[in-house]
Amino acid sequence: MMPASWRKLLFGIALLLTAGGLIGWLYGNPVAGLLVAALAALAWQVRQLLAFDRALRTRDFDTFRYGEGIWQQMFSHFEREHGQTRKHKSRYRQLLKEIRKSTDAMPDGAVILDAKNEIVTCNKAAKILAGLKPKKDKGQRIDNLLREPALNKLLQKQDYSRSVEIISPLREGEWLNCRVVPYGADQKLLLLRDVTERIRLNKMRRDFVGNASHELRSPLTVISGYLDSLAEDPEIAPGWEQPVEQMRAQAQRMNHIVAELLELSKLESAGRANTTELVNVGGLLVAARKTWEGRAGVPEIRVHLETEALLYGNSTQLESIVGNLLSNAVRHTPQDGSITMIWRASKKGAEIVMQDSGEGIAAEHVPRLTERFFRVDRGRSRDDGGVGLGLAIVKHILNRHDGELHISSELGVGSEFHCRFPAQRVAVPEPVALGGSGS
């Protein structure tokens, strides 16, 4: 239904046009009368429009504040919408202040990024930790201010489940942990945390483990030597053969643990593996299978070489990957089961796959498998199982080779370990052309 103000306006225009037409008819020209009346109506509306525009610019609406005309109604609508807008702005400002207060109270840095990784805003902690300034750096790309390859890779992948650690851009010897989480529409939240103390403690722990392991090697060597001599002595006292043999086995076990600790300590402090040595991974898999052939209680071991590709890296360390994964699979696979080692490559890279039909691993334990000394079945005898360092070694070797370890497992079905390497680490041999007969 048409509002009363519109009906009044149309009625007034119709009345004006009728009056103009009658006056023109009296003078013998009704068209001219209608035209003059229409121009008068248009002039009045234009005058009102200009007055309303002036009122918008000067904020003086006294002319339109009272009355029942269409312009007074427009002013009423405008005033109501303007009042609601003021309320919304006030609430928004108050909410923004509260958000800024809460984020400024956070000990961690928080940086809001848009879809192009440009800074929208950041809190005070981000300024303290990374030197970012909310006003000056607004609109700047974060990767232009924090030039860290690891952080750039994290932003590009948009992997919200991972975090990276970078060197502090402000203070030498300090470290920041960076994590990206989704935030609003087409935005991300970059969280910065000072992890310097944790990294220092980890370094102290690694140094202690490395030094302690190194110092244990000499006394263990002496003990193992005397035990070997006792075991080979034909005049050993009756009843001492079994205790001596048990001590020898434990000494060998200790030597193995110390060797793994030393290897892990070296890997944690080592840099990226070289990219000049080409390693025949297929040959490593075949050699690893041969080391277990003929042993009692070992399941069937198969090797599938789906590619002849070579890998740039450290042959000793890659051999350690294969050895640790295969040893782990043999321990957890019954004799009537099977183990399959696969070497494959594609345009995206290459991978070593270790499949077994063993006991499998519960889903809640999979994320912790690469932790030091973590063992799923703590009730298993330590003589039968490992010490929980093998997969930690595998993970660190893969990190040195720009690779990743992916584990999938199901209880009672078996497990799969995928060691994936990027394409830049893979070298595919060129096919050798067959020689043809000359003409």
Side-chain angles (χ1 to χ4, degrees):
M1 186 176 179
M2 185 181 296
S5 57
W6 279 96
R7 291 200 302 271
K8 184 177 180 180
L9 174 65
L10 293 176
F11 178 75
I13 294 175
L15 186 63
L16 180 62
L17 291 176
T18 301
L22 287 173
I23 295 172
W25 179 74
L26 291 175
Y27 286 93
N29 194 347
V31 174
L34 285 172
L35 181 61
V36 170
L39 290 174
L42 178 61
W44 186 81
Q45 295 297 335
V46 170
R47 177 177 175 277
Q48 291 293 93
L49 179 63
L50 293 175
F52 196 79
D53 177 68
R54 183 172 60 254
L56 288 175
R57 286 185 281 105
T58 61
R59 314 301 298 174
D60 181 9
F61 288 95
D62 288 342
T63 307
F64 304 96
R65 199 174 299 277
Y66 307 102
E68 299 179 354
I70 185 67
W71 292 98
Q72 283 74 14
Q73 188 179 37
M74 289 176 60
F75 164 73
S76 177
H77 285 308
F78 171 81
E79 187 69 14
R80 183 169 61 252
E81 294 295 332
H82 187 62
Q84 291 180 352
T85 301
R86 284 198 302 267
K87 290 180 180 178
H88 289 318
K89 284 185 177 180
S90 177
R91 291 174 184 172
Y92 173 76
R93 291 193 189 98
Q94 186 63 29
L95 179 62
L96 192 60
K97 286 181 181 179
E98 292 176 0
I99 292 174
R100 285 177 177 171
K101 286 181 180 179
S102 61
T103 55
D104 286 341
M106 293 170 55
D108 297 340
V111 186
I112 299 176
L113 306 174
D114 62 14
K116 298 180 180 179
N117 293 327
E118 295 177 351
I119 297 176
V120 178
T121 186
C122 61
N123 64 353
K124 290 182 179 179
K127 179 179 180 181
I128 297 172
L129 295 174
L132 301 177
K133 301 174 183 178
K135 294 182 179 179
K136 182 180 179 182
D137 296 334
K138 184 178 181 180
Q140 297 290 325
R141 287 179 60 91
I142 189 66
D143 48 1
N144 290 336
L145 301 175
L146 301 179
R147 297 179 179 272
E148 286 290 340
L151 177 59
N152 295 342
K153 186 177 179 181
L154 184 68
L155 291 170
Q156 291 170 4
K157 283 189 173 183
Q158 296 187 2
D159 186 355
Y160 302 130
S161 63
R162 301 183 61 184
S163 64
V164 297
E165 291 172 350
I166 65 173
I167 299 174
S168 169
L170 299 181
R171 290 170 285 276
E172 186 177 356
E174 295 191 4
W175 291 78
L176 300 177
N177 178 272
C178 305
R179 180 179 292 276
V180 179
V181 297
Y183 182 83
D186 297 328
Q187 290 185 338
K188 298 182 288 290
L189 184 64
L190 173 62
L191 298 175
L192 306 173
R193 174 172 293 182
D194 187 353
V195 291
T196 305
E197 191 63 25
R198 176 169 63 81
I199 288 180
R200 286 175 181 169
L201 289 174
N202 285 338
K203 184 177 183 304
M204 291 173 61
R205 175 182 55 81
R206 289 196 302 268
D207 292 344
F208 170 77
V209 171
N211 294 333
S213 302
H214 183 75
E215 293 299 325
L216 284 173
R217 296 189 73 176
S218 296
L220 277 174
T221 302
V222 174
I223 293 172
S224 297
Y226 279 117
L227 289 173
D228 291 340
S229 298
L230 282 172
E232 296 171 0
D233 188 355
E235 299 180 0
I236 187 172
W240 275 94
E241 293 87 348
Q242 184 178 358
V244 168
E245 193 58 37
Q246 289 178 344
M247 286 188 285
R248 286 183 69 196
Q250 292 302 319
Q252 290 175 358
R253 177 180 170 78
M254 283 294 297
N255 274 315
H256 179 68
I257 294 174
V258 168
E260 286 192 333
L261 284 171
L262 285 173
E263 182 181 3
L264 187 56
S265 179
K266 290 177 182 178
L267 288 171
E268 288 178 331
S269 59
R272 189 167 174 261
N274 69 74
T275 56
T276 56
E277 180 188 356
L278 279 173
V279 182
N280 182 2
V281 177
L284 295 180
L285 298 184
V286 173
R289 180 185 61 183
K290 290 181 179 179
T291 60
W292 289 91
E293 284 182 350
R295 298 193 189 185
V298 175
E300 179 188 5
I301 300 176
R302 297 188 291 260
V303 176
H304 291 169
L305 303 180
E306 301 178 3
T307 179
E308 296 181 356
L310 305 177
L311 197 68
Y312 287 104
N314 184 296
S315 59
T316 303
Q317 293 179 5
L318 292 173
E319 183 180 2
S320 179
I321 286 180
V322 177
N324 277 297
L325 289 178
L326 183 54
S327 174
N328 183 69
V330 169
R331 282 197 304 270
H332 297 280
T333 305
Q335 186 176 355
D336 58 351
S338 64
I339 298 172
T340 303
M341 296 185 289
I342 305 171
W343 171 238
R344 61 167 67 114
S346 66
K347 293 182 180 179
K348 295 181 179 180
E351 65 175 357
I352 301 171
V353 183
M354 187 73 63
Q355 300 174 341
D356 67 66
S357 60
E359 57 201 38
I361 307 163
E364 63 267 21
H365 296 314
V366 171
R368 298 191 59 194
L369 289 178
T370 56
E371 293 180 10
R372 291 175 176 226
F373 301 108
F374 178 77
R375 302 170 80 242
V376 174
D377 186 2
R378 298 188 179 276
R380 178 191 291 265
S381 169
R382 289 194 175 270
D383 293 332
D384 299 332
V387 294
L389 291 174
L391 291 179
I393 291 173
V394 168
K395 178 184 175 181
H396 281 85
I397 293 176
L398 284 172
N399 288 340
R400 288 203 67 218
H401 289 77
D402 309 313
E404 296 178 343
L405 177 64
H406 295 267
I407 306 171
S408 59
S409 186
E410 185 177 348
L411 280 175
V413 177
S415 305
E416 285 191 10
F417 294 81
H418 294 253
C419 302
R420 295 172 181 167
F421 302 91
Q424 60 267 26
R425 285 274 178 180
V426 183
V428 180
E430 296 182 2
V432 178
L434 297 176
S437 58
S439 56

